[in-house]
Amino acid sequence: MVYCSALNCQNATSGVYKNSTVTFYGFPLHNKPLLKQWIHNMGREMGTPSKHQRLCSKHFEDSSFEIDPLKIRKNRRLLKEAVPKKFILVSCTSVLDGDPV
């Protein structure tokens, strides 16, 4: 099973969070400047991702994908220079003031 590595994203390839409308892409481990940009945009403190970690297609703009006019490929191909830009970086937390009830 593959999970998306982005914070606040629960997309996966199977199980409760299976989402058949998304595809998953590995980090550009061999392109250090691009990898740094990916990690920065994720807003997540992390070291170098493993070769097994993935981001789902929901974090990329449509322009990040190669256009296949004949729709021969089942999955969309991510452009080599693509950078993920769509993240939810704020989580909902409540702050309590005063004495607990």
Side-chain angles (χ1 to χ4, degrees):
M1 176 172 3
V2 176
Y3 293 99
C4 183
S5 295
L7 292 173
N8 303 311
C9 184
Q10 297 180 333
N11 287 323
T13 56
S14 62
V16 182
Y17 299 110
K18 180 178 181 177
N19 186 339
S20 60
T21 65
V22 299
T23 48
F24 291 85
Y25 302 94
F27 286 81
L29 299 176
H30 299 292
N31 183 337
K32 298 299 181 192
L34 186 59
L35 176 63
K36 186 177 179 180
Q37 210 171 1
W38 279 41
I39 294 171
H40 174 76
N41 286 6
M42 288 175 65
R44 182 174 178 180
E45 293 292 325
M46 64 187 295
T48 302
S50 80
K51 64 181 181 179
H52 304 289
Q53 287 179 284
R54 303 281 186 265
L55 281 181
C56 76
S57 55
K58 294 289 185 188
H59 304 292
F60 295 90
E61 296 174 338
D62 288 339
S63 61
S64 296
F65 297 96
E66 186 177 293
I67 297 169
D68 182 6
L70 301 177
K71 300 187 190 292
I72 295 170
R73 286 189 214 100
K74 181 180 176 186
N75 292 335
R76 298 186 294 175
R77 178 173 277 165
L78 191 63
L79 296 172
K80 289 180 183 177
E81 67 277 1
V83 177
K85 297 179 181 176
K86 298 162 67 177
F87 293 97
I88 299 171
L89 300 178
V90 180
S91 62
C92 282
T93 57
S94 53
V95 178
L96 298 174
D97 286 331
D99 296 325
V101 178

